[in-house]
Amino acid sequence: MPTQVRPNAEMAQVPASLEQAQVLARANNPDIIAARLGEAIAKASARVIEAENRPRATLQANAGAAYDQGFEGNRGGNVGVTARLSVPLYTGGIATSRVSEALGNANAARLSAVDIERQVVERVSNAWRQAQVARQAVASTTEQVNAARIAYEGAELEQSVGLRTTLDVLIQQQELLEAELARAGADRDLQVATTGLVAATGLLLPASFATS
């Protein structure tokens, strides 16, 4: 028999509120993390290219000492300091173009990260609403099951004293089965909605699934 994998809502760390879900998504969603990393790389690349096209000054110091063995106590020394200034050669606007392109890429990466975060937050909000609707459906169908069970048990009791027919009992039994099927569907929808919500926050890990 094949192994079945199903989400485990308790292990999936379901957010307690929409605000918490959005905070978790901003911190853990892999799309947001990747976008921020891309933005950081683009900014770093732009800084490197800018630095390559700036004048660079270096300062080097050295010192030495000498001792003449022919004359006791005769010692000498020297100290030197070398300054260098490197200025990039004129490249006909290529350097400026590279800097502009790098800064443009960095700005595009920033805008992309902002847009991706907005999309993820929107997905989290939609998933939260779907989970709320699913919870309400579970509560509603649970009440339907309870009412159908009471009606079925009442029909059985009334049949035992001759007040109901077998057909009446079968009808009540069918209504109970339909109510239980509706609740099972609502339970499934809630599990799917909850899993989607946790996935949007970036907290859906292998440990969130149980096998059987």
Side-chain angles (χ1 to χ4, degrees):
M1 182 178 180
T3 300
Q4 296 181 347
V5 180
R6 62 183 186 279
N8 187 331
E10 293 182 357
M11 298 180 65
Q13 303 181 36
V14 180
S17 66
L18 175 57
E19 291 73 17
Q20 183 186 29
Q22 292 173 341
V23 170
L24 290 172
R26 289 188 175 96
N28 300 283
N29 184 277
D31 293 338
I32 292 179
I33 293 174
R36 288 174 179 168
L37 179 60
E39 179 185 3
I41 292 174
K43 287 181 178 179
S45 177
R47 286 195 295 268
V48 169
I49 293 176
E50 281 185 309
E52 288 176 351
N53 293 279
R54 292 172 182 165
R56 286 177 292 178
T58 59
L59 190 65
Q60 182 178 2
N62 56 73
Y67 178 71
D68 189 347
Q69 295 182 352
F71 297 91
E72 184 176 355
N74 188 9
R75 297 180 180 179
N78 60 80
V79 176
V81 178
T82 303
R84 294 180 181 177
L85 178 65
S86 300
V87 180
L89 297 175
Y90 176 71
T91 57
I94 296 178
T96 302
S97 177
R98 289 183 62 210
V99 171
S100 297
E101 181 180 3
L103 291 175
N105 291 339
N107 187 55
R110 180 184 64 81
L111 294 176
S112 177
V114 171
D115 186 56
I116 288 175
E117 180 174 333
R118 179 191 60 77
Q119 293 178 23
V120 169
V121 170
E122 184 177 352
R123 290 205 305 268
V124 168
S125 299
N126 291 336
W128 175 264
R129 285 192 290 269
Q130 291 173 1
Q132 291 298 98
V133 170
R135 287 190 183 95
Q136 293 173 1
V138 168
S140 176
T141 53
T142 298
E143 291 180 359
Q144 292 176 8
V145 168
N146 293 335
R149 179 172 291 110
I150 292 173
Y152 170 65
E153 293 173 352
E156 281 191 316
L157 181 60
E158 290 176 349
Q159 183 198 28
S160 67
V161 295
L163 298 178
R164 289 290 187 99
T165 65
T166 301
L167 179 59
D168 292 332
V169 175
L170 291 176
I171 291 174
Q172 293 299 327
Q173 184 181 43
Q174 180 64 30
E175 291 182 356
L176 175 58
L177 290 174
E178 290 175 356
E180 289 176 338
L181 285 174
R183 186 179 63 181
D187 287 338
R188 178 205 59 207
D189 293 343
L190 176 58
Q191 188 68 75
V192 171
T194 299
T195 301
L197 174 61
V198 176
T201 64
L203 296 178
L204 192 63
L205 305 174
S208 302
F209 292 86
T211 59
S212 62

